[in-house]
Amino acid sequence: MKILYGVPGEGMGHATRSKVVIQHLLKKHDVHVVASSRAFQFLDKQFPGRVSEIKGFHFAFKDKKVSKSGTFMLNLRNLPSNLNHNLERYFELEKVFTPDLVISDFESFSYYLAKYHRIPVISIDNMQVIDRCQLNIPIPREQKESFTLARNIVRAKVPTCKQYFITSFFDADIKKANTQIVPSILRDEILKLKPSARGHIIVYQTGTVAASMSEILNQVADRSFIVYGADKESTIGNTTFRRFSEDGFLDDFAGADAVIANGGYSFLSESVYLRKPVLSIPITSQFEQFVNAAYIEQLGYGRHFSTLTADHVKAFLYDLDTFNTNLKSYQQKGNDVLFSLLDDYLGAT
């Protein structure tokens, strides 16, 4: 079967997760990928000759928060050139690859190509939980606007797919047809790790690390912290800053007693799989991150706060034993569930 796989470029989580699924599909199928931005750069190296670059949607940030007006203006400004570029890619692709099926990881170009040619579409991503499931978490008043906006965006992104596979580290009641929740997609690098507890806490920030980070963490006695994301190498008190390296990070991650991070889905999923308690500080105005962080707390896997303070870190660490006990109940056998369901679906298509 010929499969077109669409991957968005906003954040690297989509790309790293899609790589896992694409590798599995290539064992039996002919797969071509369309991706934008950093996702294209990453996947083009993984699957040379199989990836076409498109232009996609991007978020604009102000003071480390998602700017709704800035995001709108950024994408509006880029719309004409992006459309021209994508039309060129469309006509090029049409000459060399005619898919039997499209899989979209929350990506629009592949979706609209499928709809235009009446090709079946499968959705594989985590975002659909916001629209296709009942979220069993309290949504505070200050998150209501973000919730409505996020749900409308998710609902409009890839509607009326033949099947939706929602990847998730938590369960939720499904409220729409043709929808199934599957365990989170995990990289081979994570599956190979052997978790331990070597006494340190990993602090993982995908954005700029605040200058006050060491001041906050140095107030937490008898704990050592390893911070990734500051792009520097130094040690201040009990806090060590390290530049990112894949092997170094994975080793520190595997040996961490716990993790502190924002609400990004990929890292939180990996943390839960490795049974690492999580202190989550979701990025403001990103409702998906709020959902992930809220479920971490509801499941008893950690805590979530809107800001990082020494008192919040201490409160989190006080209940570490409880979080460790709760995480023991989490079970996941790699990516077997998704791969089995996907193989069954493709075999019946």
Side-chain angles (χ1 to χ4, degrees):
M1 180 180 289
K2 290 187 175 182
I3 300 172
L4 182 66
Y5 206 114
V7 185
E10 190 66 38
M12 283 301 294
H14 293 282
T16 56
R17 296 192 299 269
S18 293
K19 172 192 169 185
V20 175
V21 182
I22 293 165
Q23 286 175 324
H24 175 75
L25 292 172
L26 282 170
K27 295 175 183 176
K28 295 182 180 180
H29 306 282
D30 185 9
V31 183
H32 192 86
V33 183
V34 291
S36 59
S37 191
R38 293 171 61 203
F40 166 75
Q41 298 169 15
F42 172 76
L43 292 170
D44 190 44
K45 292 178 181 178
Q46 306 297 320
F47 308 107
R50 291 187 177 273
V51 186
S52 297
E53 184 178 15
I54 56 174
K55 299 296 183 182
F57 177 90
H58 295 285
F59 286 108
F61 291 86
K62 184 177 181 180
D63 299 327
K64 301 180 189 176
K65 300 178 182 179
V66 175
S67 170
K68 296 172 185 175
S69 59
T71 296
F72 175 78
M73 292 305 298
L74 172 65
N75 289 281
L76 182 64
R77 209 164 40 240
N78 294 334
L79 183 61
S81 61
N82 287 356
L83 281 176
N84 287 335
H85 178 94
N86 286 351
L87 280 172
E88 290 176 6
R89 296 294 84 75
Y90 169 80
F91 290 122
E92 289 174 3
L93 186 60
E94 199 173 38
K95 293 177 183 177
V96 298
F97 193 82
T98 304
D100 304 301
L101 176 77
V102 167
I103 298 178
S104 173
D105 183 345
F106 208 61
E107 193 282 313
S108 297
F109 176 93
S110 57
Y111 171 83
Y112 285 113
L113 182 148
K115 289 301 178 180
Y116 181 77
H117 289 286
R118 298 183 180 179
I119 299 169
V121 187
I122 295 176
S123 167
I124 303 178
D125 79 89
N126 63 297
M127 297 292 291
Q128 293 295 333
V129 73
I130 295 173
D131 176 53
R132 306 189 71 81
C133 298
Q134 181 65 45
L135 298 176
N136 300 315
I137 52 172
I139 301 175
R141 181 179 301 175
E142 62 270 19
Q143 289 288 343
K144 294 291 187 182
E145 183 180 349
S146 293
F147 171 46
T148 300
L149 176 63
R151 184 176 56 188
N152 289 339
I153 290 173
V154 171
R155 184 175 293 169
K157 187 75 172 182
V158 285
T160 65
C161 291
K162 289 291 185 181
Q163 180 68 33
Y164 292 85
F165 293 114
I166 301 175
T167 61
S168 179
F169 64 85
F170 57 86
D171 202 6
D173 295 331
I174 294 169
K175 63 180 184 180
K176 294 191 176 183
N178 305 322
T179 303
Q180 191 157 1
I181 292 179
V182 298
S184 301
I185 299 169
L186 299 168
R187 301 177 285 152
D188 287 342
E189 294 86 348
I190 297 298
L191 295 174
K192 292 175 182 176
L193 292 180
K194 295 181 179 180
S196 60
R198 301 201 298 264
H200 61 266
I201 311 293
I202 283 284
V203 183
Y204 180 56
Q205 296 288 330
T206 54
T208 302
V209 176
S212 60
M213 180 68 72
S214 59
E215 295 178 14
I216 293 170
L217 299 178
N218 283 178
Q219 297 177 52
V220 183
D222 302 322
R223 286 288 177 175
S224 63
F225 299 87
I226 301 175
V227 180
Y228 282 90
D231 194 28
K232 65 178 182 179
E233 297 273 347
S234 66
T235 299
I236 304 173
N238 65 351
T239 304
T240 299
F241 292 88
R242 289 183 179 163
R243 289 191 174 90
F244 187 85
S245 72
E246 184 73 8
D247 291 341
F249 174 76
L250 289 174
D251 181 61
D252 287 334
F253 187 17
D257 288 6
V259 302
I260 299 174
N262 58 32
Y265 167 71
S266 290
F267 186 62
L268 265 57
S269 294
E270 294 171 352
S271 299
V272 169
Y273 175 75
L274 294 175
R275 298 181 176 87
K276 304 294 184 183
V278 178
L279 170 56
S280 179
I281 315 292
I283 295 175
T284 304
S285 299
Q286 281 207 25
F287 184 73
E288 182 241 342
Q289 291 209 3
F290 167 80
V291 171
N292 297 331
Y295 268 103
I296 285 289
E297 181 156 321
Q298 185 181 83
L299 291 167
Y301 297 164
R303 297 290 303 273
H304 102 266
F305 296 103
S306 59
T307 57
L308 182 65
T309 68
D311 285 343
H312 290 160
V313 176
K314 291 174 184 177
F316 165 65
L317 294 175
Y318 181 81
D319 289 323
L320 215 55
D321 289 342
T322 300
F323 304 145
N324 280 316
T325 298
N326 293 335
L327 280 162
K328 288 179 182 177
S329 65
Y330 184 82
Q331 299 293 325
Q332 179 177 349
K333 191 177 179 182
N335 301 304
D336 289 359
V337 173
L338 173 61
F339 288 170
S340 178
L341 290 170
L342 191 56
D343 289 345
D344 290 345
Y345 183 89
L346 295 178
T349 301

